[in-house]
Amino acid sequence: MSELKVSVVTPDGPVFEGNANMVIARTKAGELGILHGHVPLVAPLKIDIVRLKQDSGEEWIAVNGGFMEVNGEEVNILADTAEREQDIDVDRAERAKERAEQRLKEAKEQKVDAITAQVALQKAINRIHAKNH
């Protein structure tokens, strides 16, 4: 099986540079599995896990929005934020989840911006999921 060159980059710098046999990502249109030779595309990403299937196993990266560009031989992900599973501090993510849940509860009670609280909650849950898969 041919490999894809994969790059995951955030405004803070590269998160992953390497090869994968398959890249699985959730876009706004649904989940996509990318293999070598895939038709070129650009797709907005949802807050979710990007899975990199490699000969040695599978690597998970928590991606919080951004775009994926595919050209058949390369997959470039430009993410708002991203963390490899081994870099995730689960205790910190759990605290962020609790804060987001509290803000969401307060938003419902006080009719403030629930969308911001929901996004923060999604990001925290995504990080926890990537670490604990």
Side-chain angles (χ1 to χ4, degrees):
M1 177 180 281
S2 296
E3 290 187 328
L4 293 159
K5 181 178 176 197
V6 181
S7 172
V8 179
V9 180
T10 70
D12 294 329
V15 174
F16 178 87
E17 296 281 341
N19 295 317
N21 297 324
M22 182 177 194
V23 176
I24 301 167
R26 188 166 312 275
T27 70
K28 304 275 182 174
E31 189 171 69
L32 289 177
I34 308 296
L35 297 170
H36 188 271
H38 194 283
V39 64
L41 70 85
V42 174
L45 296 172
K46 293 183 88 170
I47 296 171
D48 210 326
I49 305 298
V50 171
R51 297 180 0 230
L52 307 175
K53 293 194 175 237
Q54 302 163 318
D55 291 336
S56 60
E58 194 170 278
E59 179 160 352
W60 287 30
I61 302 174
V63 174
N64 295 317
F67 291 87
M68 176 173 65
E69 182 231 356
V70 178
N71 72 10
E73 295 180 9
E74 295 181 5
V75 175
N76 296 302
I77 294 175
L78 308 171
D80 299 335
T81 62
E83 287 180 275
R84 294 172 79 164
E85 65 182 292
Q86 65 263 31
D87 297 331
I88 294 172
D89 179 340
V90 175
D91 291 332
R92 186 173 144 242
E94 288 284 355
R95 289 191 305 273
K97 178 180 176 264
E98 290 168 9
R99 284 191 309 272
E101 288 172 336
Q102 182 61 35
R103 282 194 304 258
L104 191 54
K105 181 181 174 189
E106 291 169 2
K108 288 179 182 176
E109 293 171 357
Q110 300 173 8
K111 306 245 187 282
V112 295
D113 188 9
I115 292 173
T116 301
Q118 287 172 334
V119 169
L121 180 59
Q122 281 181 311
K123 288 179 179 181
I125 290 170
N126 187 43
R127 293 173 64 228
I128 293 165
H129 181 65
K131 183 67 176 182
N132 293 332
H133 71 88

